[in-house]
Amino acid sequence: NIRSVTAGKVVVAVDEYRGGWNYYGKVVVIESTDLPYYFLYAHCQTICVVEGERVKEGQLIGTVGDTFYNSNDPTDTFSSPAHLHFEVLT
């Protein structure tokens, strides 16, 4: 399970997201209520929130997965086991 590290507003909840050369797959981005940051959760297997939703600290927002460009192709150099890609953005 992936839980929000902060209370805030879901500003992105999409099945496919690309940032520069990174393929993030299913992504949730939360704008914090209390901190001047955004929190990005990528490669989710499932997303349990929708854009515009208010979330509480510790709330379930998704599940860990391996979604991104060709993530299920064992010959692809970008393949990896299920994991969470987490970023703090200003």
Side-chain angles (χ1 to χ4, degrees):
N1 290 340
I2 302 169
R3 299 191 179 276
S4 179
V5 299
T6 186
K9 180 180 177 183
V10 178
V11 293
V12 174
V14 295
D15 285 343
E16 186 174 330
Y17 183 84
R18 180 178 178 179
W21 60 272
N22 290 316
Y23 291 91
Y24 290 114
K26 294 181 180 181
V27 168
V28 173
V29 178
I30 296 174
E31 180 181 13
S32 177
T33 302
D34 303 321
L35 304 167
Y37 303 115
Y38 293 82
F39 296 89
L40 179 143
Y41 307 80
H43 310 310
C44 303
Q45 186 65 38
T46 58
I47 295 174
C48 302
V49 292
V50 295
E51 290 179 7
E53 182 177 344
R54 296 277 178 189
V55 296
K56 297 177 182 178
E57 181 179 337
Q59 181 176 329
L60 179 68
I61 59 171
T63 59
V64 172
D66 67 347
T67 58
F68 61 102
Y69 185 69
N70 289 337
S71 66
N72 295 317
D73 180 355
T75 63
D76 188 333
T77 58
F78 290 106
S79 292
S80 67
H83 67 285
L84 172 64
H85 179 116
F86 178 75
E87 295 183 13
V88 179
L89 308 168
T90 57

